[in-house]
């Protein structure tokens, strides 16, 4: 069975690199028109767009800071007017600022929580009007296993990611009657710029599947949640971590 998302407009935040870029390419391979959001790295975002187009897909890039309401509002309005619809929203943009709680600064809190949690809130609330009009839509929030289990040295990041799970469950209940499904994906350790510098062998030795995750591993769960195969699933968090958090 092939997943076909033809005719659907999919907005992926933070899609210039890492997990977001894989999600964007996989959505493109399923024939969705992919809107690749990024904050600063235009060259990387353009490369993702070109890869999708060169593989026969359809994509565009759009710069905005997910934590800035004016930017989100303006960008989503332009997208909505251009395409008339937004069918899929993947709230993926995120940053981490790790450290023990006594050393954490309120500026770290603002950056991490505003990017992951407020960013998801802003993008969702502005994209939602198009989904409500269509009486259908899929929203997928990229959380983390640390949002479920916590982690020493990641209290700020874990707060943002746990918040995303509450946001997902509440939205799922609120929007089910409108045909909009809201789920989360919680990755474990995934090889991206965010985890660069960590000792992969040491991490892999703690993972039952004995390897770190790849961005495509997360992309697979997201594609499933966007597909008709997941038509009866909402409010859930799919953990993609090789068995780390059981
Ligand atoms: P990454 O490689 O560092 O990429 C981050 C992406 O987010 C980039 O595309 C970046 O854009 C974008 N971004 C950052 N701040 C933004 C903002 N304010 N507005 C718009 N875009 C912004 O990160 P990743 O590892 O792929 O992580 C993706 C998501 O998965 C994050 O939410 C992260 O918390 C979550 N996650 C990652 C892991 C892991 O092990 N890697 C595990 C669990 C959860 P620019 O290129 O323009 O800077």
């Amino acid at each position: 069975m092939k997943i076909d998302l033809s005719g659907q407009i999919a907005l992926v935040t933070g899609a210039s690199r890492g997990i977001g870029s894989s999600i964007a390419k996989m959505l493109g391979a399923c024939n969705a028109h992919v809107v690749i959001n990024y904050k600063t790295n235009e060259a990387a975002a353009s490369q993702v767009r070109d890869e999708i187009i060169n593989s026969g897909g359809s994509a565009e890039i759009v710069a905005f800071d997910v934590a800035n309401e004016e930017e989100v509002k303006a960008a989503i309005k332009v997208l909505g007017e251009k395409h008339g619809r937004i069918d899929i929203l993947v709230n993926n943009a995120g940053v981490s600022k790790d450290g023990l709680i006594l050393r954490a600064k309120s500026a770290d809190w603002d950056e991490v929580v505003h990017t992951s949690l407020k960013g998801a809130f802003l993008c969702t609330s502005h994209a939602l009007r198009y989904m409500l009009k269509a009486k259908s839509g899929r929203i997928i929030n990229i959380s983390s296993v640390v949002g479920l289990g916590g982690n020493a040295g990641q209290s700020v990041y874990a707060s943002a990611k746990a918040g995303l799970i509450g946001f997902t469950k509440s939205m799922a209940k609120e929007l089910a009657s409108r045909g909009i499904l809201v789920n989360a994906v919680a990755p474990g350790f995934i090889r991206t710029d965010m985890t660069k510098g960590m000792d992969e062998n040491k991490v892999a030795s703690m993972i039952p599947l004995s390897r770190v995750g790849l961005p495509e591993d997360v992309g697979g769960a997201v594609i499933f949640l966007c597909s008709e195969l997941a038509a009866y699933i909402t409010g859930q968090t799919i953990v993609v971590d090789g068995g780390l958090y059981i």
Side-chain angles (χ1 to χ4, degrees):
M1 180 188 275
K2 173 144 175 35
I3 292 172
D4 186 10
L5 302 174
S6 296
Q8 300 203 32
I9 307 295
L11 168 60
V12 185
T13 67
S16 49
R17 295 182 282 122
I19 292 169
S21 70
S22 272
I23 294 169
K25 289 179 210 170
M26 291 168 85
L27 284 166
C30 293
N31 304 320
H33 173 79
V34 190
V35 181
I36 298 155
N37 158 256
Y38 64 100
K39 185 179 177 188
T40 53
N41 204 332
E42 184 175 346
S46 301
Q47 206 176 321
V48 177
R49 175 198 57 203
D50 294 348
E51 246 185 81
I52 293 172
I53 291 173
N54 292 337
S55 306
S58 170
E60 65 188 293
I61 62 169
V62 179
F64 61 86
D65 177 349
V66 294
N68 180 315
E69 180 154 26
E70 288 315 308
E71 289 185 26
V72 172
K73 189 177 169 186
I76 292 185
K77 187 163 184 273
V78 169
L79 282 175
E81 280 168 4
K82 181 172 172 188
H83 299 289
R85 56 192 301 145
I86 296 173
D87 304 281
I88 294 168
L89 169 65
V90 184
N91 287 309
N92 167 77
V95 290
S96 63
K97 291 267 162 162
D98 297 343
L100 298 176
I101 187 64
L102 284 177
R103 297 218 179 108
K105 311 232 176 346
S106 70
D108 299 338
W109 175 276
D110 287 349
E111 186 180 353
V112 171
V113 176
H114 287 187
T115 306
S116 261
L117 191 52
K118 183 180 172 190
F121 159 69
L122 291 176
C123 293
T124 301
S125 53
H126 288 280
L128 208 46
R129 56 184 287 223
Y130 300 98
M131 296 184 180
L132 288 169
K133 205 165 87 185
K135 295 193 175 59
S136 73
R138 300 288 170 100
I139 299 169
I140 292 109
N141 298 316
I142 306 301
S143 178
S144 165
V145 286
V146 310
L148 292 165
N151 195 25
Q154 289 197 296
S155 53
V156 173
Y157 181 73
S159 303
K161 294 306 190 182
L164 266 180
I165 292 173
F167 181 62
T168 300
K169 290 182 179 179
S170 303
M171 297 267 293
K173 289 183 175 175
E174 196 171 314
L175 297 170
S177 64
R178 320 298 285 269
I180 300 165
L181 278 53
V182 190
N183 289 289
V185 173
F189 184 103
I190 309 296
R191 186 188 292 154
T192 68
D193 289 347
M194 191 177 274
T195 50
K196 205 161 57 184
M198 289 190 194
D199 183 342
E200 277 199 10
N201 289 330
K202 197 170 156 199
V203 175
S205 70
M206 298 185 298
I207 298 174
L209 287 179
S210 306
R211 67 169 176 89
V212 302
L214 300 174
E216 300 75 40
D217 292 316
V218 182
V222 173
I223 295 295
F224 165 68
L225 288 171
C226 292
S227 76
E228 274 312 295
L229 296 171
Y232 199 53
I233 300 175
T234 195
Q236 299 305 305
T237 300
I238 298 186
V239 175
V240 180
D241 70 346
L244 181 64
Y245 178 82
I246 293 178

